[in-house]
């Protein structure tokens, strides 16, 4: 199979779809890998390292024209879709539920699209799950972004000049990103409180040393395939009231909450931001899905009543070396599962193909 990797830096994405160690493994399995000049440069992988690994490093046109399968990281924009060749398979982040128009454009282009972010949440698919590998890194980085914007430090410190109290961190959502944010904030010495509406997260939060904010009625929250599929207005109102006590005392708030269906729930209103301490920092990791905080804006910092609100769409791209290494390993495992002599399997009897193949034969399947 001919596998191509394109350069994505011009669209603001620092990660690269394959790293040299994974290229070497794929070439060892008999695949041909073509990499566009400079594709890995923002992630710390130069052209020479790809050549050494066995790839052909060449121009963009040749990569696109010569590949059976194109590996990307970021959701393709209009310019990238225009470049695609009919009959090619694309493996990428797609967010199918949020991007119905994009899927129609890709279908009209005659390509097959595998959405890595639509991986089923099963044991066999875990090592192919880019949401887990990337959100884990993003959760770590969110804490550092918040720490950098805070005028105080995280740990308690007793000094000859006086004692500094530890930072109070409040985290919304204890999924992959939230759990890593808890671990990172604890390592830095903060006191961490957490809210989630999936009941099983209480134990996970406590095992990392966080305090879970209890809300009654969580047993009524619907969870499907690992995602929150529905929570009544009443539970959300109770959650808002219970968490507000922690919110008004927090130095740092990190929001990571997502629900099935694409649009993130608004969990912090503008009024609540105005009740927070001056100097507090909110990092909203859900802005690419609409945001968890009413005033946050994608990839922008806004100030409301002395509170700094940072919208972060793509934190994994800000740690591109490790993020690309893990992403590429996810892709390697995925290709190991679905690659055939002629290209990637389109047999939807396979649950991984069925979940990820969102465009095929000119039709949108998602
Ligand atoms: P996610 O990205 O869907 O959402 C992040 C978190 O937001 C979740 O914990 C969710 O419960 C929470 N949330 C939703 N509504 C909320 C609200 N109103 N208030 C507070 N929090 C709210 O979740 P995720 O990080 O992808 O992980 C969800 C679960 O799926 C985890 O248990 C994870 O371990 C599991 N998972 C399994 C696999 C696998 O087995 N292949 C892969 C990925 C994730």
């Amino acid at each position: 199979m001919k596998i191509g990797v394109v350069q994505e830096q011009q669209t603001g994405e620092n990660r690269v779809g394959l790293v040299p160690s994974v290229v070497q493994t794929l070439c060892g399995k008999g695949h041909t890998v073509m990499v566009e000049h400079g594709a890995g440069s923002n992630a710390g992988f130069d052209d020479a390292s790809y050549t050494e690994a066995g790839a052909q490093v060449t121009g963009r046109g040749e990569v696109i024209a010569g590949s059976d399968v194109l590996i990307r990281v970021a959701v393709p924009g209009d310019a990238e879709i225009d470049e695609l060749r009919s009959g090619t398979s694309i493996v990428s982040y797609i967010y199918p539920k949020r991007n119905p128009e994009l899927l129609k454009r890709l279908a009209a282009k005659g390509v097959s699209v595998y959405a890595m972010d639509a991986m089923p949440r099963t044991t066999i698919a875990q090592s192919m799950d880019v949401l887990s590998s990337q959100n884990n890194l993003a959760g770590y980085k969110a804490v550092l972004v918040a720490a950098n914007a805070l005028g105080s430090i995280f740990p308690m410190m007793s000094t000859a000049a006086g004692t500094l109290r530890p930072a109070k961190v409040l985290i919304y959502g204890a999924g992959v990103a939230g759990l890593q944010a808890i671990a990172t904030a604890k390592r830095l010495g903060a006191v961490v409180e957490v809210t989630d509406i999936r009941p099983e997260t209480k134990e996970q939060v406590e095992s990392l040393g966080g305090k879970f904010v209890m809300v009654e009625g969580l047993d009524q929250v619907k969870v499907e395939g690992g995602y929150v599929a529905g929570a009544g207005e009443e539970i959300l109102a109770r959650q808002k009231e219970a968490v507000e006590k922690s919110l008004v005392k927090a130095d740092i708030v990190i929001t990571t909450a997502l629900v099935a269906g694409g649009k993130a729930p608004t969990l912090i209103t503008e009024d609540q931001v105005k009740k927070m301490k001056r100097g507090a920092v909110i990092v909203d990791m859900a802005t690419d899905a609409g945001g968890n905080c009413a005033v946050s804006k994608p990839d922008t910092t806004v100030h409301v009543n002395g509170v700094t609100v940072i919208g972060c769409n793509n934190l994994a791209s800000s740690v591109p070396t490790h993020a690309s290494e893990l992403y590429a390993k996810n892709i390697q495992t995925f290709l190991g599962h679905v690659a055939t002599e002629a290209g990637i399997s389109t047999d939807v009897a396979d649950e991984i193909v069925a979940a990820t193949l969102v465009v095929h034969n000119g039709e949108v399947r998602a």
Side-chain angles (χ1 to χ4, degrees):
M1 191 164 74
K2 290 181 179 157
I3 303 168
V5 179
V6 285
Q7 200 255 88
E8 301 185 50
Q9 292 134 21
Q10 74 277 19
T11 62
E13 176 57 68
N14 293 314
R15 291 169 291 179
V16 59
L18 294 180
V19 299
S21 58
V22 169
V23 167
Q24 191 170 20
T25 304
L26 292 172
C27 290
K29 289 184 191 299
H31 300 297
T32 301
V33 181
M34 283 182 284
V35 177
E36 183 182 349
H37 286 293
S41 59
N42 279 13
F45 306 104
D46 62 9
D47 287 352
S49 62
Y50 283 101
T51 308
E52 262 170 50
Q56 297 167 21
V57 177
T58 183
R60 188 174 187 87
E62 277 144 319
V63 173
I64 292 171
S67 302
D68 302 313
V69 179
L70 275 181
I71 310 291
R72 305 179 43 88
V73 182
V75 176
D78 288 350
E80 285 88 50
I81 295 175
D82 287 342
E83 295 175 328
L84 296 175
R85 196 173 50 79
S86 168
T88 314
S89 294
I90 316 297
V91 177
S92 179
Y93 266 93
I94 296 291
Y95 293 117
K97 286 191 174 132
R98 288 182 214 158
N99 293 313
E101 290 307 316
L102 168 82
L103 294 188
K104 282 187 211 154
R105 287 208 60 199
L106 288 163
K109 198 73 197 177
V111 293
S112 296
V113 181
Y114 295 81
M116 288 303 286
D117 52 284
M119 200 60 71
R121 294 185 152 177
T122 57
T123 307
I124 186 171
Q126 208 156 11
S127 52
M128 311 172 202
D129 189 77
V130 298
L131 292 181
S132 293
S133 73
Q134 306 299 295
N135 291 352
N136 183 34
L137 297 177
Y140 157 85
K141 190 63 189 279
V143 176
L144 302 192
V145 168
N148 205 30
L150 187 71
S152 316
I153 62 164
F154 271 45
M156 188 182 100
M157 221 178 254
S158 295
T159 77
T163 299
L164 301 172
R165 59 164 190 81
K168 289 192 168 79
V169 174
L170 172 63
I171 296 173
Y172 284 74
V176 176
L179 291 174
Q180 186 55 249
I182 299 169
T184 305
K186 287 295 292 180
R187 279 198 289 268
L188 288 175
V191 173
V192 182
E193 290 189 89
V194 185
T195 177
D196 199 305
I197 55 171
R198 275 186 304 125
E200 66 265 33
T201 55
K202 178 176 186 293
E203 203 181 313
Q204 295 163 1
V205 166
E206 288 171 352
S207 74
L208 288 169
K211 181 177 172 232
F212 190 76
V213 181
M214 251 340 265
V215 178
E216 271 179 41
L218 292 190
D219 50 334
Q220 289 152 34
V221 174
K222 266 200 280 168
V223 179
E224 277 166 19
Y227 292 98
V228 170
E233 287 301 319
E234 209 183 306
I235 288 175
L236 293 177
R238 271 207 292 272
Q239 179 197 24
K240 188 175 170 215
E241 193 189 332
V243 178
E244 190 170 294
K245 297 184 189 88
S246 307
L247 183 66
V248 297
K249 291 188 215 144
D251 299 296
I252 282 181
V253 177
I254 294 175
T255 71
T256 74
L258 292 175
V259 294
K263 166 90 179 71
T266 304
L267 300 175
I268 306 175
T269 63
E270 185 167 357
D271 281 350
Q272 285 185 308
V273 175
K274 288 179 180 161
K275 289 182 194 168
M276 290 176 66
K277 287 188 345 192
R278 293 186 74 81
V281 176
I282 299 176
V283 172
D284 189 341
M285 290 181 64
T287 44
D288 60 342
N292 292 140
C293 175
V295 299
S296 61
K297 295 201 164 49
D299 287 334
T300 304
T301 298
V302 296
H303 299 276
V304 177
N305 229 26
V307 176
T308 303
V309 185
I310 307 171
C312 291
N313 267 7
N314 191 1
L315 283 169
S317 174
S318 71
V319 282
T321 306
H322 275 158
S324 302
E325 283 173 3
L326 296 184
Y327 187 86
K329 283 292 275 189
N330 293 144
I331 297 280
Q332 178 190 321
T333 314
F334 175 69
L335 292 178
H337 185 80
V338 298
T340 66
E341 282 286 299
I344 303 187
S345 166
T346 54
D347 178 7
V348 293
D350 180 288
E351 67 161 356
I352 288 170
V353 176
T356 56
L357 182 60
V358 292
V359 171
H360 185 51
N361 273 343
E363 283 177 10
V364 174
R365 295 186 65 257

